[in-house]
Amino acid sequence: MTSAPAHSASPFREGALPYKSAGIGLATFFGSPLAGGLLLWLNERRRQDGGRPLLALALALVVLVVSLVLAYYLPANIPAAIFTAVQMVAMALIARRLQGQAILAHTASGRPCSSDWKAVGIGLLFLVVILLVAMPLTYLGAQKLGL
């Protein structure tokens, strides 16, 4: 008698569609480490063991703060694309480190993950929010400085 191979249970709750590290990197590219951090946080919340959602958010904030500090102190002639690339790679590596084995176990159990396109959409929503906040603040700052 032959039977289908037994797959291990997913570390994520039933019906959960976790985001892969590539999707988290894409969300970060379009929407800053805040967008990638939200996806990390969602993945952690969807784990059966409760995960470590606060650690995921804290690491995303560290990436954001470090990149902002570097952008402030490094020379202005360094291309902005370098900061974006570093943020994207850092968040994807954090996702792999925190959640890589869980994602592999999830897919090995035959369950799907969230679409990377959905992650891109979330990143773009964060971009819109960031622009809606940054543009008025920039305008008000320029007015205050008399520019």
Side-chain angles (χ1 to χ4, degrees):
M1 176 169 89
T2 60
S3 62
H7 291 292
S8 61
S10 171
F12 294 94
R13 294 187 183 117
E14 188 66 34
L17 298 173
Y19 292 93
K20 296 177 283 188
S21 60
I24 291 169
L26 288 168
T28 301
F29 176 78
F30 289 104
S32 83
L34 297 175
L38 173 70
L39 301 186
L40 278 173
W41 178 81
L42 285 172
N43 278 358
E44 289 296 315
R45 294 280 310 225
R46 292 173 177 168
R47 291 176 71 127
Q48 290 191 33
D49 64 4
R52 300 169 289 185
L54 293 179
L55 176 62
L57 281 180
L59 290 172
L61 287 174
V62 166
V63 171
L64 179 64
V65 168
V66 166
S67 60
L68 290 174
V69 167
L70 287 175
Y72 183 79
Y73 285 107
L74 290 177
N77 64 348
I78 295 178
I82 291 175
F83 293 104
T84 303
V86 168
Q87 291 174 24
M88 185 176 82
V89 169
M91 289 299 292
L93 289 174
I94 289 169
R96 275 201 193 118
R97 178 76 175 152
L98 278 181
Q99 303 167 349
Q101 292 299 318
I103 298 290
L104 286 175
H106 180 79
T107 55
S109 70
R111 297 187 179 136
C113 291
S114 278
S115 165
D116 288 343
W117 288 108
K118 187 176 175 185
V120 167
I122 291 169
L124 289 172
L125 284 173
F126 267 79
L127 176 62
V128 168
V129 171
I130 290 167
L131 289 175
L132 288 174
V133 170
M135 289 175 69
L137 290 176
T138 303
Y139 176 76
L140 292 173
Q143 291 294 321
K144 190 171 186 174
L145 294 173
L147 299 175

